[in-house]
Amino acid sequence: MSHLWEYLLIGLGLLVVIVGGIAGLVRGRGGRRKELPGRDTPRPGQSVGSGAPATPGGGSGQGQDGSAGSGSTTTLPRPEEDVDDLGTGEDTLTVERPESARGRLARLRARLARSNTALGKGLLAILSRGRLDDAAWEDVEDTLLASDLGVEATNELVASLKQQVKVDGTTDEATVRGWLRKDLLALVDPSMDRRVAANRVGERPAVVMVVGVNGTGKTTTVGKLARVLVAEDKDVVLGAADTFRAAAADQLETWGARVGVPTIRSDRDGADPAAVAFDAVKAGLEMEADVVIIDTAGRLHNKVGLMDELGKVKRVVEKQSPIDEVLLVLDATTGQNGLRQAEVFSQVVGITGIVLTKLDGPAKGGIVVAVQRQLGVPVKLVGLGEGPDDLAPFDPEAFVDAIIG
């Protein structure tokens, strides 16, 4: 009789376990969309699963050979991990809501105008002298070439201005300003599509890869771009595929955390950047994000091995998703030297757009025209300062108006 009671108790216990398990499965099937971690619920420093365990060696991505991934995790940094100009020393993390970037270039017009005085005001001064002889036209050419406009574009602009002066017979400043604005705007080419791919494509997020040489400000640009997109109500995932620079992942995490954006990074230094990029896209797919932005390590364009590795990152990502945008970050102050860099990067990864940083410094405005002609792709974003919201969508008309004052 005692054995019978024992069997009954064991059976009752098993029944309770089975019923509890079924209830748990039913509860776990809620909601179609996976919430992006970071916007509201996670605490500073809390790891959030991205389909990969948040332990070293637990990555879910695959390398080019199908091997295990990088052990990536999705994290938000603690405030004491802040780097660069973002540290606050606060005990709690405050998620910011950036204002819309629309019209930002127009608001920052004064900075742009200061950096391009030689091009705009210099030209107007020469063209308004009242006498345009050969020496004056040579001065015009020299001014345009010094602004990094390039030989071909310079010849076109001078030929157009000469023809208009010859036909109209005036050098009135207001008239000349109108001619100059029209011709410069044509060279900048407002017809180019300057939108950044940031919308879901079918059932997947858009994928943006950011590349460039050392010191151009890629990681900072990725962080600022995340702010621009969050202001447009986009769900963003960042991928810290710069695994060579020790502080790069921490820096990117901090940028993302400020606006509640998760960052996929490796658990170890020197991890395979292609595997981290793969994991970032995988996380974006699982979270149903709008866009995944992948930060890559800076590399010299003349180092074949490093450029080949960049090509590998792109190929590995494309195993699970097309790359919709490859943005090349160029330091505008490098002028014509940056054009060779742009050419090599375009050959390796197929550049679709340019980000010009430091355009508020001693940069020459003509580089906008020169780089677009060199690559056949548009300048999409410009950096006009060190502040977190000083990255602006490029507006051709605001740019030209700032140049000519």
Side-chain angles (χ1 to χ4, degrees), residues 213 299-305 307 344-345:
V213 302
R299 58 201 72 225
L300 296 175
H301 62 288
N302 57 0
K303 298 295 183 182
V304 176
M307 295 303 292
V344 175
F345 275 95

Side-chain angles (χ1 to χ4, degrees), residues 8-23:
L8 288 174
L9 289 173
I10 292 172
L12 182 59
L14 290 173
L15 181 61
V16 171
V17 171
I18 292 171
V19 171
I22 293 173

Side-chain angles (χ1 to χ4, degrees), residues 106-130:
R107 293 199 306 274
L108 299 175
R109 178 174 164 179
R111 294 185 194 174
L112 189 58
R114 285 198 301 271
S115 68
N116 289 290
T117 298
L119 176 55
K121 292 184 171 56
L123 280 178
L124 285 172
I126 297 169
L127 293 170
S128 302
R129 286 176 182 171

